Amino acid sequence: MTPLLEVSGVSKRFGGLQAVSDVSFSLGEREILGLIGPNGAGKTTLFNVVNGVYKADKGTIKFAGEDITNRPPNEVVHLGLARTHQIVKPLQDMTVLENVTVGACFGREYLALQPARKVALEVLERVGLAKSAEMSARSLTIAGKKRLEVARALAAHPKLLLLDEVLAGLNPTEITYMIGIVRDIRDSGISVFMIEHVMQAIMSLSDRLVVLSFGQKLAEGHPEEVARDPQVIEAYLGDPDIAEKLKEND
Amino acid sequence: MSGILASMIDGLLIGSVYGLAAMGLSLIWGVMDVINLTHGAVIALGMFGMYILFAAFPVNAYLLLLPVIAAGLLLGLLIYWIAVHWVIGRSQLSSLLSTFAVNMMIIGIGTAIWSTSPYNVNFTLRGITVGAYTFDGNHLAAAGAAVIIGLALELFLYRTRPGKAIRAVADNREAAELMGISSTMVLALAFAIGIALAASSGALVSTLFPFTILSGAGYQMKSFVVTVLAGLGKPLGALVAGVLLGLLEGAVTPFIAVSWIPLIEFGLFVVVLVAFPKGIFARATA
Amino acid sequence: MILRRPVFWLILVFAALMAFVPLHANNVSMREDLILVAIAIILASNLNLMIGYTGYVNFGHIVFYGLGGYVGLYLATVRSWNLVLAALTAGLVVSLFALALGMGILRLRGAYFALATIGVLQAVQSFVANFDPWGRSTGMYVAFDAYERLGGARHALWTTYFLVIGVMALSMILSLGIKISKFGLGLFAIREDEDAALVLGVNTTVFKAIIYSVSAFLPAVAGALMFYKNGMIDPSIAFEFMLSLEGIVMLMLGGKGTVVGAALGGGLYEKLRSYLLTSPKFSNFQLVIAGGLLLLVVLFAPGGLIGWLYRLVPRARKVIE
């Protein structure tokens, strides 16, 4: 079976900084693939190249059998690849419902306004924001804004969802809730590719992990294998306990 | 051929005044991300400031630049507190509109006082003759003054504490605040200097050509062209780009009707803006 | 559905009143006052599509009005076209011009775009001032026989008035229609965060170019009608920068982003201006007052009158759009 997302030999350079260099990996249907790595490893840049925010200098990206290399982000969404932002980007002066309706309107199905609103309400229910539907996005808490990011992307009815640190800045209760949402997303048949720094969560959620360091792929595999990989341990700034920490979460 | 050369040299001299005006716009834009739409009105005030001062003290007009600059600094502080301070950190639209509102008020008051009929400053320096050419004395003096003021600003920005503070805030406002620099003071200072530069360029123009209260608008437009050519926050670059624009004007004047020049300039402006949104020089160094 | 919106019916009633009150009173000076109000509302409403809906400041919106006037007048007089046909053609031509122009300058964001629009205004003005077929800086006049075709000057002026009122109503309905549509939702997303809108699937390039072009259409039609009524056009009155800026003041005053706000601001500002112009005390200070008003609104009430109403009565948001 062909994978849903196939990234091969992708590189991206900014001036003198090689942000992503010759990275390849693939992601199957209904899979949760984690992307980890130290700060500045190029994780978000990789996301931006995959969904077309940045143009790749080299390499190709195939999604659902189509070559999406350097296609603009709006076209990538129509094909069924949606994403969230690490630094949340709510449409501040619009309501929560309107925010999510935008996602549904211009997503994979390019729905008309009425059906899009219906989808948006369903999605808000799913992420637990239904009560805030009529609030302005500006007035949400950070946890609310993170959920809004997920809801908007989900409303596009994607086949694959890129989640960029949706757990960062949340308290333990909120993290548990969000993990539930991610599991629910996968159970509904959507593949997930997620960047995360909260190790417990990423180790328990991911089917497989990809590790980036200085823009290069350091390791790839089952979370347990990756956690034992000496190169990975080294990359995490020589923290000798990292393997223990990573393992104990399983 | 000699006609073109003379026209280009003249363009070069006037261009340095354009450059001076643009330095003011560029400084404010670069430091506080505010596009100062009072710029043109302040240039016009500079012209009338010179007119009033010269009527009261008929000395060498170029000496009167000093009081114009001082008044410009005060005016800059005033405008900062009225229209800019409150919108720092809000959307760019807010400062665009608030400075524009002040522009309307200045032009309105100016029109009520001076109407829109032309004035001129009746002061002439003797020209300098080199071979077959005679260079207009006022043009030479204005260009010299513009270059001196421009270099003085550069020295101020790079050699003095307040100047370094301005550059620090322009570079990264939050970091500068962490270093103990009061960004409000610095922003107010930068704005005041920007306004003083605009006023002084207006004062220089008033010694070259007749002017009305509306004359500032044309120079404001040229300042935009120059600033965009030079890239933001590069005052010395603005001076150079101003000279280039003057040269260009001088070079084309002998060949086409004057009425086409605005079309060329504004067309150039839009094209450069679209092609090099960060300035021509910025791209070369990036 | 637009028919279910109270504002839609409000617009129709308002337009009907504007049309029939001066006619009923057979009051020509009232008509001349109201036509200026209608023009102000047309300009403010269409400018709102850019500033209020999409978040792009257009300082040179008047270009569309002036170019429409030129194309319309040229067709209606030099080519002896029917006025309505000439005005509609002017609208189309100017819209296409805007579309082409927009593809270029809408690559710019924020203030850079705003500056480019000033450049465009000045460039177009100086082009027209050098353009022979349009009479260079002296402009063009409407020959009397052009009015004859509409049943004499008197009749022609009333006809133009009703047409302008029609364009005003259409402007407001267009604003409302876009506001409640999917297209409008996409524009709002662009206004709030263009990068986010793109990632959410909005084709920002196309949306911006279309709205820029749409915002040109009715002002151009209105320009054709208005300059025909005035009987003449020249570059300095057709492309008056001041009027372009007053459009922004009107919009900010009424409340950008709202249908009613644009119209309210347009109407109020025009009434205020004509009062100031005719008052012996203030005639010199029209600009000062307009500027002061703009400053106050920007600093203290960025939502304008309608924004203020929303804060007072939050439920009004649902009715007054």
Side-chain angles (χ1 to χ4, degrees), chain A residues 6-49:
Chain A
E6 200 173 355
V7 172
S8 24
V10 163
S11 297
K12 177 71 194 173
R13 169 183 280 280
F14 297 110
L17 176 75
Q18 189 69 46
V20 173
S21 111
D22 196 23
V23 169
S24 306
F25 63 91
S26 62
L27 184 157
E29 305 263 2
R30 288 177 164 259
E31 187 178 21
I32 298 185
L33 179 66
L35 178 61
I36 62 170
N39 283 324
K43 302 183 295 291
T44 297
T45 306
L46 183 59
F47 265 30
N48 280 330
V49 173

Side-chain angles (χ1 to χ4, degrees), chain C residues 8-145:
Chain C
F8 176 76
W9 300 102
L10 199 69
I11 294 169
L12 291 188
V13 171
F14 174 62
L17 283 175
M18 287 276 283
F20 293 113
V21 169
L23 181 68
H24 184 72
N26 198 15
N27 186 334
V28 170
S29 81
M30 184 199 277
R31 181 193 72 197
E32 294 304 299
D33 278 353
L34 288 181
I35 199 168
L36 292 178
V37 170
I39 291 289
I41 292 177
I42 293 167
L43 293 178
S45 289
N46 286 285
L47 185 59
N48 193 23
L49 301 178
M50 284 303 288
I51 296 187
Y53 287 12
T54 321
Y56 275 73
V57 178
N58 186 352
F59 277 119
H61 193 240
I62 202 71
V63 147
F64 306 141
Y65 179 70
L67 274 181
Y70 264 103
V71 176
L73 218 62
Y74 176 77
L75 293 175
T77 63
V78 180
R79 302 267 153 181
S80 307
W81 283 28
N82 167 291
L83 176 62
V84 174
L85 195 61
L88 288 176
T89 310
L92 272 179
V93 168
V94 174
S95 281
L96 287 177
F97 167 74
L99 191 65
L101 187 66
M103 288 295 190
I105 63 173
L106 282 161
R107 289 169 53 190
L108 301 168
R109 297 247 186 125
Y112 289 92
F113 173 79
L115 289 183
T117 60
I118 302 182
V120 166
L121 173 62
Q122 309 271 12
V124 168
Q125 182 173 18
S126 35
F127 173 77
V128 171
N130 285 291
F131 190 55
D132 252 336
W134 288 354
R136 304 167 71 104
S137 55
T138 34
M140 291 191 290
Y141 292 86
V142 178
F144 263 116
D145 61 320

Side-chain angles (χ1 to χ4, degrees), chain A residues 68 80 125:
Chain A
I68 59 163
E125 194 69 50

Side-chain angles (χ1 to χ4, degrees), chain B residues 252-278:
Chain B
V252 298
T253 309
F255 300 104
I256 56 170
V258 181
S259 60
W260 285 102
I261 288 184
L263 178 63
I264 295 174
E265 253 174 33
F266 299 127
L268 179 78
F269 171 61
V270 174
V271 169
V272 168
L273 201 54
V274 171
F276 307 98
K278 287 181 179 141

Side-chain angles (χ1 to χ4, degrees), chain B residues 70-145:
Chain B
L73 287 170
L74 290 178
L75 178 69
L77 288 177
L78 184 71
I79 297 176
Y80 180 82
W81 286 111
I82 291 176
V84 180
H85 182 67
W86 316 103
V87 294
I88 293 281
R90 278 184 23 201
S91 74
Q92 228 172 14
L93 172 64
S94 304
S95 59
L96 212 58
L97 291 177
S98 71
T99 54
F100 181 71
V102 173
N103 176 74
M104 288 167 82
M105 292 162 80
I106 295 176
I107 297 290
I109 294 170
T111 311
I113 301 176
W114 295 296
S115 79
T116 51
S117 40
Y119 286 72
N120 66 313
V121 172
N122 213 342
F123 173 76
T124 321
L125 281 175
R126 204 143 41 85
I128 295 174
T129 306
V130 179
Y133 310 120
T134 299
F135 298 113
D136 184 288
N138 283 23
H139 287 207
L140 281 172

